Amino acid sequence: MTTLKLLTATAVIASLAQVASAQDKVSWWYEQATPDQQKLIQQNIVEPFGKAHPDESLVVDYRGSELDKQLRVAMLSGNGPDMVYTAGPSYVAPMAQSGQLLPLDDYAAKYKWQDRILPVFLKMGEYNGKLYALPKTYETVGLFYNKTLFAEKNLQPPKTLDELESVADALLKNGITPFAAGNADWRGANEWFVTLALNSVAGPDNLNKALRGEMPWTAEPFAKAIDRLNGWWQKGYFGKNYFSLTSSEQTADMMASGKAGMMPTGTWQFQNVATYGKKAGSEAGFVGFPSLTGDPVFPLGIGSTFSVAAKAKNPDGAAAAIDFVFSPEVYGTMNSAWQGEWNIPLKDISSVKMASDVTPLFTETMKGLSSAVNDGKYGYTTWTFLPPATDSYLINGIEEVWLNKISTADFLTKLDASFQKELKAKKTPAVPAR
């Protein structure tokens, strides 16, 4: 190589090094994601963000199922990521209380989040009157059902709890498991069914009172809800393999293949429902979960949240990255390929462009959920609105009820004791007024 070429090459390398060093790194720890899902985040968030913000470099570190545990330890020592990604609002309140998160109110004003994000979700991200978190996605739990199987058996999607039980009993008589369900991969799946029972039996108004500390969890409406849920378990609605089936792909496969007729779960399952429905040649339906009154129940949930660490090395870059996620472009690209996990709570999605192969069932369900939220006609998911220790007990304690180790009364007494303790310690998430 000539001296001139060597000098030129050296200059180019030095220039690139200067560009790289000039970029401010934004660190983001994410939960578990498959290689394909990681590719989607890279292509639809990381790379476009880099183009829109040449001085910033978004770096994602996939921590898997240990994210929550690792994040708690890192935040205590001040060595956590710039962008704090939690499993929901119940994790935000303790972090905000201990000063581990940065208030986002100035960023909210700068980026005009009030004009772009549904107000109820801004409220849910508050602690002591300040904004600390934005939800990545909002979701609901409802009832998927095998539409093809229902047509063959001359069954109708249930609207009331009595109708739900009639359909379940008919399926049992035909040797079909009523509910495709399992918790082998995620014990937290237990609370999906507790959430549905609390909302459909006790009702959202009573739940709102309990979450605010205005009604004890030992009250009669909640006892009736847990008793009814336990009745479904004892009758065999959840099948014989609940503890060995995964909550995601295996249950979706079970319903799509007709081994189960219904699947009470969340909107995060849309991608698996579409995949296994195509494989089995069956069509799925989705309805709000049945209730005592016949009105569909849409418990509102937040699957995960974004915050900025108080000790972030690049807080402005982290806020810019969060703002970038809350755009119609990201909503469209991520929901087109990864349905149910990126239902970003934007006020206006009229400009969103979705892929042509996205199932109409998904878009119709999301529109219905958005309308329910706008009209205030929603319920409450336990993982969004209960404080962490109470939520943890609920997940573990309901198994003891199902396995006849404790009574409904004992379960609710322990649940209430935990809640009252966390309420007094101000660790409960914000609950919007009805």
Side-chain angles (χ1 to χ4, degrees):
M1 182 180 287
T2 64
T3 303
L4 179 60
K5 288 182 177 180
L6 181 61
L7 290 172
T8 302
T10 302
V12 170
I13 292 171
S15 177
L16 290 173
Q18 287 178 348
V19 170
S21 63
Q23 284 187 318
D24 290 324
K25 175 184 172 183
V26 179
S27 57
W28 171 18
W29 291 4
Y30 195 81
E31 57 190 350
Q32 53 194 355
T34 66
D36 285 342
Q37 291 167 345
Q38 293 181 27
K39 189 182 295 183
L40 289 173
I41 291 175
Q42 181 69 24
Q43 293 175 342
N44 299 315
I45 298 178
V46 174
E47 292 174 4
F49 173 76
K51 290 180 181 178
H53 299 267
D55 296 333
E56 306 285 356
S57 175
L58 181 58
V59 179
V60 187
D61 187 352
Y62 295 93
R63 295 285 174 139
S65 59
E66 294 295 308
L67 171 63
D68 294 335
K69 188 185 298 183
Q70 294 176 8
L71 187 61
R72 285 195 192 103
V73 174
M75 295 292 283
L76 285 171
S77 62
N79 295 317
D82 298 316
M83 283 173 64
V84 179
Y85 182 82
T86 81
S90 64
Y91 294 83
V92 173
M95 287 183 179
Q97 185 186 48
S98 59
Q100 295 173 352
L101 301 179
L102 199 67
L104 302 177
D105 301 270
D106 289 344
Y107 292 120
K110 175 182 177 180
Y111 292 114
K112 299 181 179 179
W113 288 341
Q114 293 87 344
D115 297 334
R116 294 161 45 203
I117 300 171
L118 289 166
V120 67
F121 295 102
L122 290 173
K123 186 67 179 176
M124 288 165 64
E126 289 183 0
Y127 180 78
N128 276 355
K130 293 184 178 181
L131 180 67
Y132 285 96
L134 293 183
K136 181 196 81 173
T137 182
Y138 69 109
E139 57 203 14
T140 193
V141 273
L143 189 67
F144 285 95
Y145 64 98
N146 187 319
K147 200 171 183 179
T148 304
L149 177 66
F150 268 49
E152 290 175 1
K153 302 297 182 183
N154 197 28
L155 298 171
Q156 297 297 321
K159 294 182 179 179
T160 67
L161 292 179
D162 288 342
E163 290 176 1
L164 175 72
E165 291 172 359
S166 294
V167 170
D169 292 339
L171 290 169
L172 277 176
K173 287 180 181 178
N174 282 275
I176 300 169
T177 301
F179 296 158
N183 76 346
D185 61 331
W186 176 243
R187 199 175 187 187
N190 294 348
E191 68 178 321
W192 304 344
F193 315 115
V194 179
T195 283
L196 288 170
L198 290 174
N199 282 275
S200 62
V201 179
D205 288 339
N206 284 327
L207 272 175
N208 182 275
K209 292 176 183 177
L211 291 167
R212 290 174 175 273
E214 299 168 1
M215 176 186 286
W217 290 98
T218 52
E220 185 181 14
F222 307 121
K224 287 183 176 179
I226 299 303
D227 280 343
R228 193 139 192 178
L229 173 62
N230 189 36
W232 298 342
W233 178 273
Q234 303 304 333
K235 289 171 73 173
Y237 288 2
F238 289 88
K240 299 176 181 179
N241 302 309
Y242 178 83
F243 296 109
S244 59
L245 286 172
T246 65
S247 64
S248 51
E249 294 190 51
Q250 287 182 325
T251 52
D253 186 22
M254 191 175 176
M255 188 194 75
S257 64
K259 294 177 182 176
M262 299 176 284
M263 184 169 61
T265 187
T267 45
W268 54 82
Q269 269 284 57
F270 265 101
Q271 186 178 26
N272 286 325
V273 167
T275 298
Y276 285 97
K278 288 179 182 177
K279 178 182 174 183
S282 63
E283 184 181 358
F286 181 89
V287 292
F289 201 78
S291 68
L292 287 173
T293 63
D295 296 320
V297 174
F298 294 99
L300 181 61
I302 291 177
S304 47
T305 66
F306 288 115
S307 298
V308 176
K311 295 183 179 180
K313 295 179 179 64
N314 186 3
D316 291 346
I322 292 172
D323 178 70
F324 185 80
V325 169
F326 286 79
S327 66
E329 292 76 21
V330 171
Y331 183 105
T333 55
M334 293 303 288
N335 271 306
S336 291
W338 193 348
Q339 293 157 30
E341 278 290 343
W342 292 85
N343 189 39
I344 301 161
L346 300 178
K347 274 186 180 180
D348 182 12
I349 57 174
S350 59
S351 62
V352 168
K353 295 180 180 179
M354 300 285 283
S356 59
D357 60 347
V358 173
T359 171
L361 183 63
F362 172 75
T363 54
E364 289 167 8
T365 300
M366 291 302 103
K367 286 179 181 177
L369 177 58
S370 179
S371 296
V373 172
N374 275 324
D375 296 340
K377 297 178 180 178
Y378 58 85
Y380 304 90
T381 55
T382 52
W383 58 91
T384 301
F385 293 97
L386 283 181
T390 305
D391 189 49
S392 179
Y393 173 72
L394 181 146
I395 291 169
N396 298 319
I398 193 61
E399 287 187 12
E400 294 185 304
V401 175
W402 289 340
L403 299 177
N404 295 314
K405 293 181 177 180
I406 61 172
S407 66
T408 292
D410 289 340
F411 169 69
L412 291 175
T413 297
K414 291 181 180 179
L415 188 79
D416 189 64
S418 176
F419 179 83
Q420 299 304 333
K421 183 178 180 180
E422 290 189 288
L423 179 67
K424 187 176 181 180
K426 296 183 178 180
K427 292 183 178 181
T428 53
V431 182
R434 290 189 71 75

